[in-house]
Amino acid sequence: MKEIQGGVTAAKGFEAASAAAEIKYKDRTDMAMIYSQVPCRAAGTFTTNVVKAAPVKWDQNVVKNSEYVQAVVVNSGIANACTGTEGYDYCKTTAEKAGEVLHIPAEAVLVGSTGVIGMQLPIERICVGIDKLAAVKSDTIAAGTDAAKAIMTTDTCKKELAVTVEISGKTVTIGGMAKGSGMIHPNMCTMLSFVTTDAVISKAALQKALSEDVKDTYNMISVDGDTSTNDTVLVLANGMAENEEIVEGTEDYARFAEALHAVNVGLAKMIAGDGEGATALFEVNVVGAETKEQAVLLSKSVVCSNLTKTAIAGHDANWGRILCAMGYSGAQFDPEKVDLYLESAAGKLKIVENGRAASYSEEKATEILSQPVVIATADMKMGDAKATAWGCDLTHGYIDINADYRS
Amino acid sequence: MKEIQGGVTAAKGFEAASAAAEIKYKDRTDMAMIYSQVPCRAAGTFTTNVVKAAPVKWDQNVVKNSEYVQAVVVNSGIANACTGTEGYDYCKTTAEKAGEVLHIPAEAVLVGSTGVIGMQLPIERICVGIDKLAAVKSDTIAAGTDAAKAIMTTDTCKKELAVTVEISGKTVTIGGMAKGSGMIHPNMCTMLSFVTTDAVISKAALQKALSEDVKDTYNMISVDGDTSTNDTVLVLANGMAENEEIVEGTEDYARFAEALHAVNVGLAKMIAGDGEGATALFEVNVVGAETKEQAVLLSKSVVCSNLTKTAIAGHDANWGRILCAMGYSGAQFDPEKVDLYLESAAGKLKIVENGRAASYSEEKATEILSQPVVIATADMKMGDAKATAWGCDLTHGYIDINADYRS
C-alpha cells in the first residue's frame, strides 16, 4: 500500500466538479459532484441521531435498495435537517435533476448536505448548480481537490487522501474527501466523507469493510461531543481496476480493508485536527485495558473532556483532568495503576506513574504540549486491549465560531 | 415552608468559621469549618467517578460507619485527588487534629477538599488553619456566609440558602452552602454542598431523603460535562428543633423532603448559573416525554451540548442545535412532533412547532436570550413524563479560566 496524490478522482473513472450556487455563502463554491463513468456499488454508514437530516434518509434508502449508484451531489451552507417532508422532497428533486442531466436514474444519485439546521434548501439554485456541475466535471486531481473545498463549512482546510494497493495483480486505488469541523462526534456527524475506489468488490464485502472500519476511525473522533443530524460516510466502488472480485474472508479483502482504513483514519484525523478553533490535534491512546470496549470508553472520554481540551489549549500538563475524565468514562480500572505519557515532536515524558505525579519538568511538558500534534498515552496495566481516539483543543476560536454561527 | 436569611448556621446549634491558611491562594480565606454544638446524624452522596479523591473515601467511611458526626473541615485550592495513601493519611491527620481541638472523636469529623488534582495538601498549614477555625467559630449568619466564601475556587459568588418548615408543631430549619463552577457534571463534582438542619430525623430517613433528591437537583446540573473526583453532598441533622423524630413514609417526612429539595435545588441552580465563564443560567424543561428516564436524558443532553451552550452565549436562537442534542441523547422520540419554546424575563416564544421552524421574530428571540436566566421547554407530545436540567452558556471566560487554571 502506498499513499498517492489526490482524493475522490484518484481512482479510475471517477470525476468531480464544484460550483458556486449561492446556497448560503457568497463568493465561494458551495456545491460539489462526484460522478463515475460506470455504475458503482455503494456502501454507507449514517448518523445514529434520532433527528436525521433529509439527505441521510434519502441515502439510506438508495444504499439499501439501489443495486448501483453513479453520482453524489453535495451542498454546503444548509444541512436540510428538521425540514420535514418538504426537505425530503428537495432531496428527490435534486436526485431527479442530476439524473436527468447525467442520463442516469434518480435512484442512482446520492445527496449530501451540511450547514445550518432548520432552513429549507433554495431548490432552484440547487438545480442551477447541478447544471453547472455537470458541465465542468472532470477526472483531474484538481477537480477532486476543488470538490473537497466546495463542501467545507467552518473547516479551515480541505481534507482529501488517496492510496493504492495491489490486489490480484491489479493496482486498486482508494481515494476520499471529507468535511467536518464542528458538531463532530460521529456516531455513525456534520461530518461528510466520500470515498471512491476502482476496486471490483461485492456490495456485501464493501459494506462490511466500511461498517467495521468506521468504529475505529470516524467514530473515534470528537470535536465537541455533538453528534450531528447529517453524519454520512459513503464508499463508491466502480470496478474499473479489473481485479478479481473481492469477497469477504479472503486475503484480498484484508488488503482492501487495510487500504480503506488508511483512507478513513487519515480523513478522520484531518477532521479532528481541523476542529472548530483548534490549534492542535489531540490523540489519546489507551493501552493495557481489560477489553477493547473499556479502551474505547476511556480514550473517547478523554478527547471529549472540555477541561482536558482547554488544558491542551493552554499547553498545561494538567494531568488530573485526564485521570478524572477516565474516571467518569464508565470503564472500571484501578486509578493507582495508571501510567500516563505525553508526547509530540518535541519529545516524550512520563507524567504519571501509578496514578500519582511522576517527577518531570513542567517546562518540558509545556514544550511538548505546544506542538500541533499532541499524543497522550495511558497504560492501564489491566490487560492487553487498546484503542485510539482523536480530538482537538478547545479555544477562544471555538466560542467565536459558535456563539455567532448563523449570522 | 419559607425561605429565610443565611446558610449553614441558620439551623439551631450550628456554628461556622473561615480562615486564611495559604493552602494555595494568598490574600483570601481558604478553609472553612462547620461545627454542631451537639452530635448529628449524617447522610452523604458522593461522586461516581472511579477516580475518587481521598476526602471522598474518608467521608464515605464516616457516613457509613460513624453513628454521629459533629464537624466538617473544608479546604479550597487543592483537591487532594490522585494523591495515593499519603493523601488519605492527610484526611486522617486533618480529622484527628480537628477532633483534638474540638474535643470530639476523629471519626466524627468529615473533610472536604476542592481545587487542583494531583498536588499534596500542605498538612502543617492545614493544622494551623484548624486551630484558627476552632478559635473563631460562631453561630452567626455572617460566620456561615464567610464559610461559604472560603470554599469558593473559580466561583464568582458565594452560594447559600436556608428555609424553615413546621413539623409536629416545631419550626425545623434547613440551611446549606455549596461551591462549584467548573468540572461540574455531578453524578453522585468539584461540587461540594453542605446542608445543616436542626431536625430530629432517623439516619435512614435522612439518607433516603438526600439520595432521592440529588437525582432531581445536583445530578441535573452540568457546567462542562466533567464529573469531578470530589463531588460531595453532606447533610448534618443535630435534632435541636425538638420535633418528633421524622421517619420514612410519613407526612412529616414528605414535608422535610420538600424543604430539603428547596435547599438542594436552590444551591444546584446557583452552581449552574455561576458556571465558569457563564453569563446565563440555562434551564431546560422537557415535558410530554414517555418516561422520566427519557425526559432526564433529553434535558441533560441539551444542557451539556457545547453547540447549544455557545448559541446561548451568542444570544442566537439556533434551535437546530437543541433538537440535534435531543436526537443524540439516547432517548427515542418523534422529531416531527416536538414543540420548542424559549422564555426569559423578556417574554416567551414558540420557536419550533412539530419539529420545524415556527414563525417567530429573531429580534424578539435574541432579546429573550439576552437575559441572565434563559429557559427552553421542549414538549415531546409522547406522554406525561417531565424533567428539568440546569446548565449555563459556554463563553470566552470558560476558555480563559481553564486554559490556564494551574498557573
Side-chain angles (χ1 to χ4, degrees):
Chain A
M1 182 173 51
K2 76 170 191 221
E3 194 172 325
I4 60 168
Q5 208 196 348
V8 288
T9 54
K12 275 185 204 142
F14 282 97
E15 302 180 7
S18 56
E22 298 201 344
I23 303 306
K24 176 163 173 283
Y25 305 114
K26 310 291 175 198
D27 307 320
R28 57 159 280 191
T29 58
D30 55 2
M31 283 189 74
M33 176 182 281
I34 301 171
Y35 172 77
S36 172
Q37 292 158 0
V38 299
C40 303
R41 284 161 178 165
T45 58
F46 303 94
T47 184
T48 55
N49 198 311
V50 169
V51 182
K52 291 185 207 311
V56 166
K57 295 177 188 170
W58 175 268
D59 289 356
Q60 284 181 314
N61 185 46
V62 168
V63 168
K64 188 175 172 198
N65 298 314
S66 299
E67 199 174 350
Y68 291 102
V69 307
Q70 200 163 351
V72 187
V73 177
V74 189
N75 76 276
S76 54
I78 294 179
N80 195 6
C82 300
T83 49
T85 51
E86 192 178 348
Y88 190 79
D89 287 346
Y90 288 163
C91 294
K92 188 160 182 278
T93 307
T94 303
E96 284 169 350
K97 171 71 182 177
E100 184 190 313
V101 178
L102 298 168
H103 312 291
I104 59 175
E107 295 69 34
V109 180
L110 292 157
V111 298
S113 295
T114 176
V116 68
I117 295 173
M119 286 175 70
Q120 294 291 351
L121 286 175
I123 190 64
E124 285 170 22
R125 296 208 286 277
I126 292 276
C127 290
V128 172
I130 290 169
D131 280 326
K132 290 189 192 174
L133 291 165
V136 301
K137 67 190 168 52
S138 148
D139 64 359
T140 61
I141 293 297
T145 300
D146 288 345
K149 288 177 182 167
I151 63 173
M152 291 163 54
T153 55
T154 51
D155 306 61
T156 66
C157 57
K158 55 101 184 164
K159 296 159 185 79
E160 60 176 354
L161 186 65
V163 300
T164 58
V165 59
E166 299 300 309
I167 291 180
S168 66
K170 303 286 182 181
T171 299
V172 166
T173 301
I174 308 178
M177 67 179 186
K179 68 77 55 181
S181 188
M183 205 175 267
I184 297 291
H185 184 83
N187 192 10
M188 285 338 52
C189 170
T190 303
M191 187 203 77
L192 303 178
S193 182
F194 305 100
V195 178
T196 56
T197 177
D198 46 22
V200 182
I201 181 166
S202 75
K203 186 164 173 171
L206 189 64
Q207 184 66 51
K208 186 181 179 192
L210 177 63
S211 295
E212 291 196 342
D213 198 49
V214 296
K215 290 183 231 162
D216 293 325
T217 55
Y218 304 106
N219 286 2
M220 291 303 285
I221 64 174
S222 185
V223 167
D224 48 18
D226 283 276
T227 300
S228 167
T229 49
N230 288 54
D231 296 341
T232 299
V233 181
L234 294 169
V235 184
L236 273 56
N238 70 3
M240 289 177 74
E242 299 182 334
N243 56 292
E244 287 171 33
E245 187 178 59
I246 300 165
V247 294
E248 294 172 53
T250 60
E251 202 176 306
D252 282 352
Y253 176 83
R255 291 170 72 84
F256 177 81
E258 189 191 4
L260 180 64
H261 176 73
V263 172
N264 285 337
V265 79
L267 291 172
K269 287 169 73 170
M270 289 182 204
I271 293 170
D274 191 31
E276 288 176 338
T279 65
L281 172 69
F282 182 40
E283 175 175 312
V284 176
N285 300 301
V286 168
V287 301
E290 276 190 304
T291 64
K292 174 73 185 270
E293 289 67 30
Q294 303 227 342
V296 167
L297 284 173
L298 290 162
S299 57
K300 287 192 85 165
S301 188
V302 176
V303 295
C304 290
S305 155
N306 278 357
L307 286 170
T308 300
K309 291 155 64 77
T310 45
I312 302 295
H315 308 153
D316 177 11
N318 199 329
W319 58 266
R321 293 176 179 178
I322 295 179
L323 261 71
C324 176
M326 295 199 295
Y328 64 70
S329 67
Q332 289 302 313
F333 64 94
D334 182 349
E336 298 192 359
K337 276 190 177 174
V338 179
D339 290 353
L340 182 70
Y341 303 82
L342 292 179
E343 186 180 357
S344 75
K348 184 171 180 176
L349 277 184
K350 184 185 250 194
I351 301 287
V352 173
E353 183 162 355
N354 296 321
R356 295 177 59 181
S359 70
Y360 64 89
S361 150
E362 288 282 357
E363 198 181 348
K364 182 69 187 172
T366 297
E367 191 191 335
I368 288 172
L369 292 173
S370 304
Q371 299 292 321
V373 179
V374 172
I375 301 168
T377 300
D379 186 349
M380 314 309 291
K381 299 190 222 154
M382 308 282 283
D384 295 322
K386 61 187 179 178
T388 301
W390 296 272
C392 59
D393 55 344
L394 176 57
T395 69
H396 286 291
Y398 183 86
I399 309 291
D400 284 335
I401 292 166
N402 287 301
D404 208 25
Y405 179 62
R406 292 200 313 171
S407 317
Chain B
M1 182 174 51
K2 75 168 193 227
E3 194 172 327
I4 60 168
Q5 208 197 347
V8 289
T9 54
K12 274 184 203 141
F14 283 97
E15 302 180 6
S18 56
E22 297 199 346
I23 303 306
K24 175 162 173 283
Y25 305 115
K26 309 289 174 200
D27 307 321
R28 58 161 278 192
T29 57
D30 55 2
M31 284 189 74
M33 176 181 282
I34 301 170
Y35 172 76
S36 173
Q37 292 158 0
V38 298
C40 303
R41 285 161 175 161
T45 59
F46 304 94
T47 185
T48 56
N49 198 310
V50 169
V51 182
K52 290 184 207 309
V56 166
K57 295 177 188 169
W58 175 268
D59 288 356
Q60 284 181 314
N61 185 45
V62 168
V63 168
K64 188 175 171 197
N65 298 314
S66 299
E67 198 173 352
Y68 291 103
V69 305
Q70 202 162 351
V72 187
V73 177
V74 189
N75 75 277
S76 53
I78 294 179
N80 194 7
C82 300
T83 48
T85 51
E86 191 179 348
Y88 191 79
D89 287 346
Y90 288 164
C91 293
K92 188 161 181 280
T93 307
T94 302
E96 284 168 352
K97 170 71 182 177
E100 184 191 312
V101 178
L102 298 167
H103 311 292
I104 59 175
E107 294 69 33
V109 180
L110 292 157
V111 298
S113 295
T114 176
V116 68
I117 295 173
M119 286 176 69
Q120 295 291 352
L121 286 174
I123 191 64
E124 285 170 21
R125 295 208 287 278
I126 293 277
C127 289
V128 172
I130 290 168
D131 280 326
K132 289 187 191 175
L133 291 164
V136 302
K137 67 190 167 53
S138 147
D139 65 358
T140 61
I141 293 296
T145 300
D146 288 344
K149 289 178 182 166
I151 63 172
M152 290 162 55
T153 56
T154 51
D155 305 63
T156 66
C157 57
K158 54 100 180 163
K159 296 159 183 78
E160 60 176 353
L161 186 64
V163 300
T164 58
V165 58
E166 300 299 311
I167 290 181
S168 66
K170 304 285 182 181
T171 298
V172 165
T173 301
I174 308 177
M177 68 179 185
K179 66 80 53 181
S181 188
M183 204 175 268
I184 297 292
H185 185 84
N187 194 9
M188 343 306 75
C189 186
T190 305
M191 186 203 77
L192 302 178
S193 181
F194 305 101
V195 177
T196 56
T197 177
D198 46 21
V200 181
I201 182 167
S202 75
K203 186 165 173 170
L206 189 64
Q207 183 66 51
K208 185 178 180 193
L210 177 62
S211 295
E212 293 198 340
D213 198 48
V214 295
K215 291 183 230 162
D216 292 324
T217 55
Y218 305 105
N219 286 2
M220 292 303 285
I221 64 174
S222 184
V223 167
D224 48 18
D226 283 277
T227 301
S228 168
T229 50
N230 289 54
D231 295 340
T232 299
V233 181
L234 294 169
V235 184
L236 274 58
N238 71 3
M240 288 176 76
E242 299 183 329
N243 56 294
E244 287 170 34
E245 186 177 58
I246 300 165
V247 295
E248 296 171 52
T250 61
E251 201 176 305
D252 282 353
Y253 176 83
R255 290 171 73 84
F256 178 81
E258 187 189 6
L260 180 64
H261 175 74
V263 171
N264 285 335
V265 80
L267 292 172
K269 288 169 73 171
M270 289 182 204
I271 292 171
D274 191 32
E276 288 177 337
T279 65
L281 171 68
F282 181 39
E283 175 175 312
V284 176
N285 299 301
V286 168
V287 301
E290 275 190 306
T291 64
K292 174 71 186 269
E293 290 67 31
Q294 303 227 343
V296 167
L297 284 173
L298 290 162
S299 56
K300 287 192 84 166
S301 189
V302 176
V303 295
C304 289
S305 156
N306 278 357
L307 286 170
T308 301
K309 290 155 63 78
T310 45
I312 302 295
H315 308 154
D316 177 10
N318 199 328
W319 57 266
R321 296 176 178 178
I322 295 179
L323 260 72
C324 178
M326 294 199 295
Y328 64 71
S329 67
Q332 289 302 316
F333 64 94
D334 181 348
E336 298 190 0
K337 276 189 178 175
V338 179
D339 290 352
L340 182 70
Y341 303 82
L342 292 179
E343 186 180 357
S344 75
K348 183 171 180 177
L349 277 183
K350 183 185 249 193
I351 302 287
V352 172
E353 183 163 356
N354 295 322
R356 297 178 58 182
S359 71
Y360 64 90
S361 151
E362 288 283 357
E363 198 180 348
K364 184 67 188 174
T366 297
E367 191 191 336
I368 288 172
L369 292 173
S370 304
Q371 299 293 319
V373 179
V374 172
I375 301 168
T377 301
D379 185 348
M380 314 309 292
K381 297 189 226 158
M382 308 281 281
D384 295 322
K386 60 187 180 177
T388 301
W390 296 272
C392 59
D393 56 343
L394 175 58
T395 70
H396 287 291
Y398 183 85
I399 310 292
D400 285 334
I401 292 165
N402 287 302
D404 209 26
Y405 178 62
R406 293 201 312 171
S407 316

